[in-house]
Amino acid sequence: QSVLTQPPSVSAAPGQKVTISCSGSSSNVGDNFLSWYQQLPGTAPKLLIYDNDKRPSGIPDRFSGSKSGTSATLGITGLQTGDEADYYCGTWDSSLTAYVFGSGTKVLVL
Amino acid sequence: QVQLVQSGAEVKKPGASVKVSCKASGYTFTRYYIHWVRQAPGQGLEWMGRINPNTGVTRYAQKFQDRVTVTRDTSINTAHMDLTRLTSDDTAVYYCARDFYGSGSPFDSWGRGTLVTVSS
């Protein structure tokens, strides 16, 4: 049972937009910066968004992040077949003193 | 460039222990924490613990507190993760990753993962 809640899957046609939610509590999402990770099939996770809404070098601006209170959202615009992957949110939990991940969301490009 | 190179796949019997290594290069090893994250087949990511390579201080997830030990050898820029009393539930890919602050900064570089299979 993951501490952070994400929808199991989202889908859209190529070129369209999807959003993925990440819901937590005051001790994790509400208290710390949030990151998003992309895991392509058979590969290690890769940092996609950090500090709620910042993109590392090389990440296209089709990917965006936002946070409000104890929830966060990852947005992907101009969906491409190469975006098919699992996406995880993650942050520190100040009460558990542990890093916590979301349950993961599979993005399907129809 | 930053690299975290992990040791190879392992097959272990129930009750045994496993040691996975993570060799860092391309940055100053002692300036970034090393974390261990595992992923069981078809499942999500699970944080196990971390080490401050500069001080050797560790913190573990409560679930693994009595079975996991993370160490480091600064002479060879390598972190190790020992997991004891293995069961089939420990079959997973084990990743190492680094972050700057140890408590909430992003995992900006990951190893490729080490598959540990526990089977009789």
Side-chain angles (χ1 to χ4, degrees):
Chain A
Q1 194 80 357
S2 299
V3 172
L4 307 181
T5 302
Q6 298 179 231
S9 66
V10 297
S11 61
Q16 298 300 301
K17 174 181 179 178
V18 295
T19 59
I20 300 170
S21 60
C22 173
S23 179
S25 69
S26 58
S27 65
N28 43 65
V29 179
D31 195 36
N32 295 288
F33 285 116
L34 188 107
S35 297
W36 289 92
Y37 302 91
Q38 177 193 57
Q39 187 176 33
L40 297 169
T43 69
K46 171 186 171 182
L47 181 64
L48 198 64
I49 297 287
Y50 68 98
D51 290 358
N52 304 331
D53 57 9
K54 297 179 175 59
R55 284 176 286 107
S57 173
I59 300 299
D61 59 6
R62 300 187 299 106
F63 296 92
S64 63
S66 64
K67 191 183 92 167
S68 178
T70 59
S71 294
T73 301
L74 172 70
I76 310 174
T77 59
L79 203 60
Q80 301 176 1
T81 56
D83 297 332
E84 283 204 333
D86 294 320
Y87 294 82
Y88 295 90
C89 56
T91 187
W92 188 256
D93 190 298
S94 305
S95 293
L96 296 174
T97 56
Y99 199 89
V100 291
F101 289 100
S103 43
T105 299
K106 183 176 292 293
V107 169
L108 301 170
V109 182
L110 303 175
Chain B
Q1 75 282 23
V2 174
Q3 277 194 303
L4 297 174
V5 178
Q6 298 187 222
S7 50
E10 303 265 12
V11 178
K12 296 291 182 180
K13 294 194 181 303
S17 300
V18 69
K19 185 172 187 173
V20 181
S21 300
C22 173
K23 183 173 176 61
S25 63
Y27 72 98
T28 302
F29 179 61
T30 52
R31 295 186 69 179
Y32 287 77
Y33 288 73
I34 293 290
H35 298 250
W36 290 91
V37 176
R38 79 176 187 179
Q39 186 171 38
Q43 302 300 308
L45 303 173
E46 182 175 33
W47 183 80
M48 299 179 68
R50 68 157 201 227
I51 187 167
N52 178 337
N54 187 42
T55 63
V57 174
T58 55
R59 181 172 292 281
Y60 303 122
Q62 188 170 10
K63 174 179 179 178
F64 301 103
Q65 188 78 34
D66 61 344
R67 293 201 298 136
V68 71
T69 303
V70 178
T71 57
R72 95 292 191 209
D73 184 340
T74 56
S75 68
I76 55 172
N77 292 347
T78 299
H80 307 280
M81 187 280 298
D82 273 279
L83 189 62
T84 62
R85 306 196 306 275
L86 294 170
T87 73
S88 57
D89 289 341
D90 295 314
T91 293
V93 175
Y94 290 76
Y95 296 101
C96 61
R98 74 165 198 174
D99 90 317
F100 190 73
Y101 290 113
S103 56
S105 48
F107 297 163
D108 66 353
S109 187
W110 294 66
R112 289 191 173 185
T114 297
L115 175 62
V116 175
T117 303
V118 183
S119 173
S120 55

